[in-house]
Amino acid sequence: MRILGIESSCDETGIAIYDDEKGLLAHQLYSQVKVHADYGGVVPELASRDHVRKTLPLIDAAFAQAGCGPEDLDGIAYTAGPGLVGALLVGTSIGRSLAYGWDIPAVAVHHMEGHLLAPMLEENTPEFPFIALLVSGGHTMMVKVAGIGQYEVLGESVDDAAGEAFDKTAKLLGLDYPGGPRLAKMAEQGVAKRFVFPRPMTDKPGLDFSFSGLKTAASITIRENDDDDQTKADIAHAFQTAVIDTLVIKCKRALKQTGIKRLVIAGGVSANTQLRLQLERVMKGMKGEVFYPRTEFCTDNGAMIAYAGMQRLRAGQFATLDMKTKPRWPIDSLEPI
C-alpha cells in the first residue's frame, strides 16, 4: 500500500508518500515562520492562504522525489483536525478532491494520532501498550495506548499547553518567533538555581497539567530583574527546568500507576534535548524504554499523517465525500483498529 499524506493543521505544510514495504519515499515540508514572524505568532488567515499556495507544488515535488505518480497511490490521508479551521479546510478539500479525481480512497486523520504514531517511522518502534506524552504548542496530554485507536486520556493541560507556555515566555524575554526553540537555546547559557519556579500541580494527585501560573511566575521575575543577557538566560534556564521537571514527574506517576514500562514522547516539545535526556534517565532507572521520532518528525509533518492514514485505510476506514473538519476533536473518541 502506498499513501500520500497531507498535513496543514497550523503553520507548516507537510507532504509525504509512504509505502508499507519500502517505507518513506518522499518528505516535503514548508514552514511559514517568515510569514508570521512580524506578528509574533500564527495569523490564521495568512496560514490558510499560504497552504493554498504551497500544497499542490509540494505534492508535485513529493511525486518527483518518490519517482511515482497518482496512478501509483492506493489512498490519500489528510489532517482533518484538531487545528486551525481554515488551514484544515485547505488540506481537507485538496486531499478529498484529489482522491475523488484519482478514484482512490481518502481518510481523515487526527493530528495528534499522527504525532502519537510518529515513532513508528523509526527502526526501533514501541510495542503496545505504552504511555504517550504528547507535548506541542497546542496540546499537552498523557495517554495510555493499548493499540491504534485505543486511547485513554490520563491527563491533559487545564490551560496553556507546554509549547504555548514556552512560546509566550520566550516572547516576554524578547525572543523572536518561534520562541520555544530559541528559549531552549538561551537556557543553555543559564546558571542553575539562580531562579527557581514552581512545578505546577505536582503536589496534587492526578495527571493533569497547568502551565499558565508558571508563565505568570516567569513574567513577574522578568519584570522585577535586570534585562541583561545573563539574567535572561538564567530565567530561561529556570523556566525550562520547571517545565521539564513537571513533565517528568507526571510521566513517572503515569508509568507507576499503570505498570507500563514503555514511554513515547511526541509533538514539537519532544525535540527538546533536556527533556529527552531526563526521560531517558528516568526510564533507565525504571528498567523501561523511551521512544521518540527523529527531530524533523517531532514538529508537524506529512510523514506521520501518511503513516496514521495507512493504518486507518488498512482497517477499512474511509472518508465520505463531504469535507468535514474538526478543529476540536478528542483523541479518545477515535475508532479502534
Side-chain angles (χ1 to χ4, degrees):
M1 182 176 282
R2 185 170 293 182
I3 302 296
L4 172 70
I6 302 174
E7 157 59 28
S8 68
S9 64
C10 190
D11 60 342
E12 287 167 315
T13 311
I15 305 296
I17 299 174
Y18 187 86
D19 186 287
D20 62 351
E21 293 183 354
K22 298 179 181 179
L24 189 63
L25 301 181
H27 170 54
Q28 297 287 325
L29 185 68
Y30 172 77
S31 174
Q32 299 178 0
V33 167
K34 291 182 180 179
V35 175
H36 305 289
D38 291 342
Y39 305 94
V42 178
V43 181
E45 177 64 21
L46 296 181
S48 303
R49 293 180 184 183
D50 224 35
H51 286 307
V52 171
R53 285 191 288 265
K54 298 297 182 181
T55 302
L56 289 176
L58 285 175
I59 290 175
D60 288 339
F63 279 136
Q65 183 183 357
C68 67
E71 66 279 2
D72 300 304
L73 295 178
D74 297 294
I76 295 179
Y78 57 86
T79 303
L84 303 176
V85 63
L88 291 169
L89 279 168
V90 176
T92 295
S93 58
I94 291 176
R96 196 64 200 82
S97 298
L98 289 178
Y100 181 77
W102 294 337
D103 194 25
I104 55 177
V107 60
V109 173
H110 191 289
H111 179 72
M112 295 311 294
E113 181 174 58
H115 277 303
L116 188 152
L117 297 177
M120 302 297 185
L121 294 165
E122 308 302 328
E123 289 186 10
N124 184 28
T125 60
E127 296 181 0
F128 299 112
F130 57 77
I131 297 298
L133 172 66
L134 303 179
V135 275
S136 66
H139 301 84
T140 301
M141 62 177 69
M142 194 80 69
V143 184
K144 180 181 177 182
V145 182
I148 297 178
Q150 301 176 50
Y151 308 133
E152 178 187 353
V153 177
L154 303 176
E156 56 190 332
S157 180
V158 298
D159 41 53
D160 289 356
E164 182 181 4
F166 260 99
D167 288 339
K168 288 180 177 178
T169 302
K171 192 171 185 178
L172 293 171
L173 287 167
L175 300 176
D176 292 334
Y177 169 84
R182 299 179 190 276
L183 186 150
K185 185 69 175 177
M186 176 183 279
E188 294 176 3
Q189 308 303 318
V191 176
K193 298 184 180 180
R194 178 184 172 186
F195 301 103
V196 179
F197 294 139
R199 277 58 174 163
M201 296 184 74
T202 57
D203 58 344
K204 299 179 180 179
L207 294 167
D208 284 336
F209 303 88
S210 172
F211 295 105
S212 180
L214 177 57
K215 178 194 64 183
T216 301
S219 175
I220 294 171
T221 303
I222 292 168
R223 189 165 60 247
E224 293 179 347
N225 286 273
D226 296 332
D227 64 350
D228 60 280
D229 290 344
Q230 187 58 54
T231 297
K232 288 182 177 180
D234 295 344
I235 293 172
H237 185 282
F239 175 82
Q240 176 176 258
T241 301
V243 173
I244 290 174
D245 283 354
T246 300
L247 295 173
V248 170
I249 289 169
K250 295 289 185 172
C251 284
K252 289 171 67 176
R253 188 176 294 177
L255 292 163
K256 289 179 179 178
Q257 286 181 8
T258 60
I260 295 173
K261 296 295 182 71
R262 287 178 292 273
L263 175 68
V264 161
I265 55 170
V269 181
S270 70
N272 185 284
T273 302
Q274 291 302 314
L275 176 61
R276 292 189 177 198
L277 289 173
Q278 291 278 12
L279 288 176
E280 285 174 357
R281 192 174 297 121
V282 166
M283 296 309 295
K284 185 177 180 180
M286 297 180 70
K287 293 181 171 55
E289 192 173 3
V290 60
F291 303 83
Y292 39 76
R294 71 196 79 167
T295 303
E296 63 184 316
F297 292 157
C298 290
T299 52
D300 296 348
N301 63 88
M304 67 183 191
I305 301 304
Y307 182 85
M310 176 172 289
Q311 307 310 312
R312 293 284 170 184
L313 285 170
R314 274 178 168 171
Q317 298 179 12
F318 309 121
T320 54
L321 283 175
D322 55 350
M323 297 180 186
K324 293 182 179 178
T325 59
K326 299 180 180 181
R328 296 183 183 275
W329 190 4
I331 195 171
D332 53 3
S333 69
L334 297 177
E335 292 183 36
I337 292 179

